[in-house]
Amino acid sequence: MIRPQLPLNALRAFEASARHLNFTRAAVELCVSQAALSHQIKALEARLGVALFRRLPRGVALTDEGAALYPVLNEAFDRIAAVLDRVGGGHVREVLSVGVVGTFANGWLLPRLAQFQSAHPQVDLRVLTHNNRVDLAAEGLDCAIRFGDGDWPGVEATAIAEAGLTPLCAASLAQRLAHPRDLAAATLLRSYRRDEWARWFAAAGAAPVPARGPVFDSSLAIANAAADGAGVGLLPVRMFAQDLARGRLVQPFAACVDAGRYWLTHLRSRPVTPALRVFGDWLAATAAIAP
């Protein structure tokens, strides 16, 4: 497509002024005088043969023509900025949008994120947390880290890390728990997976205790409630190593039950991009050696 010579300075002046609806703030953003900015806008209006702003006693407002032009320019400048950001540093950066279940994000990924970024600066990682319910296609995600058995329709799943569940609670409550049967006197915090406590009692070789505590949709919420003394949570101990080290949570019993794993998932219908391959390889290598 043949383009006429574009008055880029004038277009930038208009876009900034339309975004702020204030010539003074727009001039400060662009590091020009207000007189120079007004000159650029008047020149653009003369070129287009229309008024883009209505000058009001206090400020300015967009005309219909200005309101039609502004979103097009705003989106175009945003897209240019995004591309320049990706190309900066002498290489093209590939965006990778990753959905991460909150427990894994806080307990494992975020403490190691700087390590990944240092090793792979070409990947522009975008992290969005979820509570294990995620729709890759609808949410525009390249991949997602989730907890379960790895069996999701239309999804390729690669195991990352085991997640043995064990009771965790505040130190004040742990002092009263010498045997699994002592849990009968405690509030047992539950997840939406109803059979976890029964499976843990079986793994511990103890008679089950009815779990009647509140139900949460997130292990992070269970952990926070447990740390505050609200009860005992059945949690993936590996994801709360920092809380255990600080004494915020205590593990009263050694028994763990395998209720699933953390998996890196992506749609089978979409090709594996270089960024996804790099991220998956890094996850596998790091999870194999990290506690």
Side-chain angles (χ1 to χ4, degrees):
M1 176 181 178
I2 299 176
R3 297 181 177 88
Q5 185 175 356
L6 297 176
L8 293 177
N9 287 337
L11 292 173
R12 289 181 66 214
F14 165 75
E15 191 277 335
S17 299
R19 181 160 28 87
H20 291 291
L21 287 177
N22 185 289
F23 288 171
T24 301
R25 287 199 292 268
V28 170
E29 177 184 317
L30 299 177
C31 298
V32 299
S33 68
Q34 186 172 336
L37 180 119
S38 296
H39 176 75
Q40 290 284 359
I41 291 173
K42 288 178 180 178
L44 181 61
E45 289 176 324
R47 176 171 180 151
L48 297 176
V50 296
L52 299 173
F53 292 98
R54 287 186 290 114
R55 277 69 174 176
L56 304 176
R58 295 183 180 179
V60 294
L62 289 169
T63 63
D64 290 344
E65 293 80 5
L69 180 60
Y70 168 67
V72 177
L73 285 179
N74 179 258
E75 180 184 358
F77 283 131
D78 282 346
R79 292 177 64 182
I80 292 170
V83 172
L84 291 176
D85 182 58
R86 288 175 56 198
V87 175
H91 52 258
V92 176
R93 303 178 70 204
E94 182 182 352
V95 174
L96 184 69
S97 296
V98 184
V100 187
V101 63
T103 306
F104 189 89
N106 284 271
W108 197 94
L109 180 61
L110 296 184
R112 297 170 175 83
L113 205 55
Q115 174 190 344
F116 175 79
Q117 292 174 320
S118 176
H120 304 286
Q122 78 279 15
V123 178
D124 186 1
L125 198 63
R126 312 289 172 86
V127 178
L128 300 90
T129 58
H130 59 79
N131 64 353
N132 214 45
R133 294 181 175 92
V134 62
D135 187 329
L136 287 161
E139 297 177 38
L141 297 171
D142 298 302
C143 60
I145 296 173
R146 58 208 300 187
F147 177 81
D149 59 8
D151 185 17
W152 293 282
V155 165
E156 188 73 29
T158 303
I160 301 170
E162 296 180 352
L165 302 181
T166 193
L168 300 180
C169 61
S172 58
L173 182 52
Q175 295 174 358
R176 305 197 296 270
L177 302 176
H179 188 276
R181 62 174 172 267
D182 297 332
L183 290 167
T187 299
L188 302 186
L189 310 176
R190 298 176 291 164
S191 79
Y192 57 85
R193 292 178 289 271
R194 298 183 178 181
D195 65 339
E196 289 178 343
W197 272 111
R199 292 178 61 190
W200 181 83
F201 279 106
V209 168
R212 300 190 179 94
V215 177
F216 298 83
D217 71 346
S218 161
S219 292
L220 290 175
I222 293 176
N224 287 333
D228 289 338
V232 182
L234 196 59
L235 295 163
V237 63
R238 186 177 183 184
M239 297 299 116
F240 294 95
Q242 294 183 3
D243 293 284
L244 291 167
R246 294 196 299 263
R248 183 170 180 264
L249 290 171
V250 174
Q251 180 181 350
F253 308 110
C256 286
V257 61
D258 182 5
R261 288 171 171 77
Y262 290 100
W263 304 77
L264 177 65
T265 66
H266 65 90
L267 292 174
R268 293 195 184 101
S269 59
R270 294 183 181 175
V272 176
T273 64
L276 177 54
R277 184 174 294 106
V278 164
F279 184 61
D281 290 346
W282 175 82
L283 280 174
T286 308
I289 61 175

